[in-house]
């Protein structure tokens, strides 16, 4: 069994090459973000970051956010969401829950309330059904702010929502009229 520290380090490396910089190790992703598992393991080893097949299986199976998925035949792998490289995950629009949340930094608060949520470097704005998840995302940046999104009203206004294989809700933007700051409750 590989240590959690090592698995986390592999997971971060996979996020880098499967979401943002495949060229970092000379990897190519297809238009849906898939790459052959063999190529990934080979290129990672060549780049001085060897990963065994057992470690890869363990990261995919145990990643807390289910960040990665194998294709049905097990021959390819991709990140479930979070890309900055140009991929089309092929997710259909689906009706969202009535309310979704987004956790961010208090220093972004005024800009977000003025301009809405924008996707920045990523393909989508990331939203979640879980207050706890939003809080932990916000805490990555220091002093967090929890935003409540009126997804029902957005959907009624024609905005499309998609849900990634790991349950992250994806939208192109959230205009300010659908946002409000939710009082922060520490558990
Ligand atoms: C902010 C994690 C100023 C936005 C999580 C966020 C997530 C604005 C930052 C995933 C803004 C972008 C993504 C505006 C948006 N003015 N700031 N108008 N609009 N922002 O990392 O949602 O661990 O691209 O609030 O679980 O923080 O990577 O997005 O703070 O699902 O698997 O601009 O990352 O997943 O930051 O995180 P990011 P995010 P993983």
């Amino acid at each position: 069994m590989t240590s959690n520290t090592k698995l986390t380090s592999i997971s971060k490396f996979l996020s880098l090459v499967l979401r943002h910089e495949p060229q970092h190790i000379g990897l190519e992703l297809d238009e849906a973000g898939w790459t052959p598992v063999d190529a990934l393991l080979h290129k990672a080893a060549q780049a001085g970051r060897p990963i065994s097949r057992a470690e890869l299986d363990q990261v995919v199976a145990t990643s807390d956010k289910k960040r990665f998925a194998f294709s049905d035949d097990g021959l390819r792998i991709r990140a479930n969401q979070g890309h900055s490289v140009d991929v089309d995950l092929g997710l259909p629009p689906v009706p969202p829950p009535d309310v979704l949340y987004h956790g961010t930094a208090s220093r972004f608060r005024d800009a977000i309330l003025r301009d809405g949520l924008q996707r920045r470097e990523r393909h989508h704005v990331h939203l979640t059904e879980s207050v706890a998840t939003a809080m932990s995302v916000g805490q990555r940046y220091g002093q967090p702010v929890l935003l409540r999104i009126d997804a029902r009203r957005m959907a009624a206004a024609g905005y499309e929502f998609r849900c990634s294989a790991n349950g992250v809700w994806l939208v192109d933007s959230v205009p300010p009229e659908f946002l409000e700051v939710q009082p922060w409750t520490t558990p």
Side-chain angles (χ1 to χ4, degrees), residues 19 65 67 81 102-105 108 111-112 115-120 122 126 133 137 140-141 168:
R19 288 173 169 176
K65 292 187 183 165
R67 291 184 176 90
Q81 36 70 226
H102 178 87
T104 188
F108 299 152
I112 292 173
D115 303 332
L117 280 169
Q118 297 161 350
R119 54 206 172 88
R120 313 303 247 189
R122 308 215 193 216
H126 289 211
T133 300
V137 172
R140 293 188 305 171
Y141 300 101
V168 176

Side-chain angles (χ1 to χ4, degrees), residues 94-102 126-135 146-147 149 151 161-164 166-170:
V94 281
D98 288 353
V99 173
L100 287 166
Y101 297 94
H102 178 87
H126 289 211
L127 307 174
T128 171
E129 288 171 63
S130 153
V131 169
T133 300
M135 287 168 84
L146 180 64
L147 300 169
I149 287 96
F161 288 75
R162 292 175 165 77
C163 188
S164 71
N166 58 342
V168 176
W169 284 90
L170 306 167

Side-chain angles (χ1 to χ4, degrees), residues 53-93:
R53 179 65 210 229
E55 287 168 339
L56 187 69
D57 288 348
Q58 217 181 327
V59 169
V60 173
T62 63
S63 156
D64 52 351
K65 292 187 183 165
K66 298 267 171 276
R67 291 184 176 90
F68 315 104
F70 289 121
S71 55
D72 289 340
D73 60 11
L75 295 177
R76 294 175 301 153
I77 185 170
R78 76 174 179 185
N80 280 324
Q81 36 70 226
H83 299 80
S84 56
V85 292
D86 190 19
V87 296
D88 179 358
L89 296 172
L91 300 170

